[in-house]
Amino acid sequence: KTTLGSLLVLILLRTAHHNLATMKDVYLHTNTLAALANLAPYVSGLSSHASQRIVSLFAMLAKKYNRLVLQQQSALQQEQEEQQQQDVDQEKRESKELEIQLYADFLRIVLEIINSILSNALQQNPELVYMLLQQAEVFEPWANHPRYAELMTNITTVISFFNKKLQDPVVADQIGHGTSVMTTNNNSTLPQTNKDTTKDTHHHHQQKQQVVIMTSAEKVLEAIKLATRGWRSEKLRPIPELRFNYEEETNPEEFFVHM
């Protein structure tokens, strides 16, 4: 049931995941993400699995980036305490900074890929919207990051818009799901995407509002598809299209052929 386009995206994503976990080849990773970025404006009907892999790739890169930053901060603190400024330490520091910069660039490319899909074909990719809603907590820490705040604006806009639609009793009635519950204003607005019956919401002293809690993944996806009819791409900030061109070196066979 997977389209050819989704299969192609999955192959590239699988390559990126495998490379991060094992080979750690910068050249391979750069070209894999470049191919995905060039495909992004034309993605349509992205499958659930492909959408999940895009988000998990971002989560994987974010985890690695955060770990590297913490290691760098810890090393700098240790150097200050020991007051050591050896050449070896300087070389390690520069190598770590280069690696951090590399993962920072990879994170930005993945965010630009997601932005490109949302800007050009959100209505044709409800599964990606579903996955952004389900994994919203993965993106939350990056909303105020100075390097990624601009790219996070559109993702936050999409999550906020569809969260509200999923809790709208009118939308629930239209998809044949008329159940609503009372919840406080400060409760999480993320939809429940598991198939278990939703537990009763605790009542507090805050002001109550009536919202809908979806009880199955199918209902959530159906509601998203319905809500896309009212979506307007003008809600998103224009992001320059990310394009990569392959430039062949003078003697490419020296790289590809082992003599």
Side-chain angles (χ1 to χ4, degrees):
K1 297 181 180 180
T2 299
T3 63
L4 182 59
S6 289
L7 179 61
L8 177 57
V9 171
L10 276 171
I11 290 172
L12 290 169
L13 288 168
R14 186 84 177 250
T15 302
H17 276 269
H18 179 70
N19 183 52
L20 276 176
T22 56
M23 297 183 291
K24 297 179 174 60
D25 187 320
V26 175
Y27 179 87
L28 176 61
H29 206 71
T30 300
N31 282 273
T32 301
L33 292 181
L36 281 168
N38 287 350
L39 286 170
Y42 313 103
V43 168
S44 180
L46 200 63
S47 69
S48 174
H49 186 48
S51 300
Q52 186 272 331
R53 297 293 283 189
I54 290 177
V55 175
S56 65
L57 176 60
F58 177 82
M60 190 175 184
L61 287 166
K63 186 176 181 180
K64 178 66 174 178
Y65 174 83
N66 286 330
R67 187 186 301 123
L68 288 170
V69 171
L70 287 175
Q71 288 175 354
Q72 183 190 46
Q73 292 173 347
S74 177
L76 288 173
Q77 183 177 0
Q78 185 177 356
E79 282 183 11
Q80 291 174 355
E81 292 174 353
E82 298 177 357
Q83 296 182 344
Q84 293 179 345
Q85 295 294 332
Q86 300 177 3
D87 293 338
V88 177
D89 294 333
Q90 179 66 23
E91 185 177 340
K92 288 182 179 179
R93 190 186 307 114
E94 291 176 355
S95 176
K96 185 67 67 175
E97 289 175 355
L98 182 62
E99 191 176 10
I100 290 173
Q101 181 61 43
L102 192 65
Y103 276 91
D105 291 341
F106 287 158
L107 275 172
R108 184 171 182 86
I109 293 174
V110 174
L111 285 177
E112 288 178 326
I113 289 170
I114 295 173
N115 267 271
S116 182
I117 297 174
L118 296 177
S119 298
N120 291 281
L122 180 146
Q123 293 171 316
Q124 288 74 45
N125 294 284
E127 292 282 6
L128 179 59
V129 175
Y130 174 95
M131 199 54 57
L132 292 176
L133 292 171
Q134 189 184 56
Q135 301 294 327
E137 69 278 0
V138 172
F139 297 93
E140 286 176 1
W142 305 91
N144 297 319
H145 194 289
R147 185 183 179 92
Y148 308 110
E150 181 184 6
L151 293 170
M152 279 302 306
T153 299
N154 287 341
I155 295 175
T156 302
T157 298
V158 169
I159 291 174
S160 177
F161 175 85
F162 283 94
N163 261 328
K164 291 178 181 178
K165 290 295 182 181
L166 288 174
Q167 297 177 39
D168 188 347
V170 176
V171 173
D173 289 337
Q174 287 180 294
I175 64 172
H177 185 296
T179 304
S180 62
V181 299
M182 298 300 293
T183 184
T184 58
N185 285 335
N186 63 347
N187 275 353
S188 173
T189 57
L190 293 178
Q192 301 296 319
T193 54
N194 56 50
K195 296 185 179 181
D196 298 328
T197 302
T198 305
K199 296 180 180 179
D200 291 337
T201 305
H202 293 290
H203 294 271
H204 301 284
H205 295 294
Q206 291 95 333
Q207 182 182 356
K208 302 295 194 323
Q209 62 179 349
Q210 189 175 41
V211 299
V212 173
I213 302 298
M214 302 293 172
T215 57
S216 73
E218 291 78 8
K219 288 295 183 183
V220 172
L221 187 58
E222 191 178 347
I224 288 172
K225 290 178 180 178
L226 181 65
T228 56
R229 299 175 187 175
W231 171 259
R232 296 291 180 268
S233 59
E234 293 80 13
K235 294 179 180 291
L236 301 181
R237 293 179 58 181
I239 300 293
E241 185 176 335
L242 186 65
R243 298 291 297 175
F244 289 89
N245 295 317
Y246 176 74
E247 293 183 4
E248 193 171 88
E249 295 182 358
T250 307
N251 299 306
E253 65 278 359
E254 293 180 3
F255 177 85
F256 290 104
V257 181
H258 178 69
M259 302 300 291

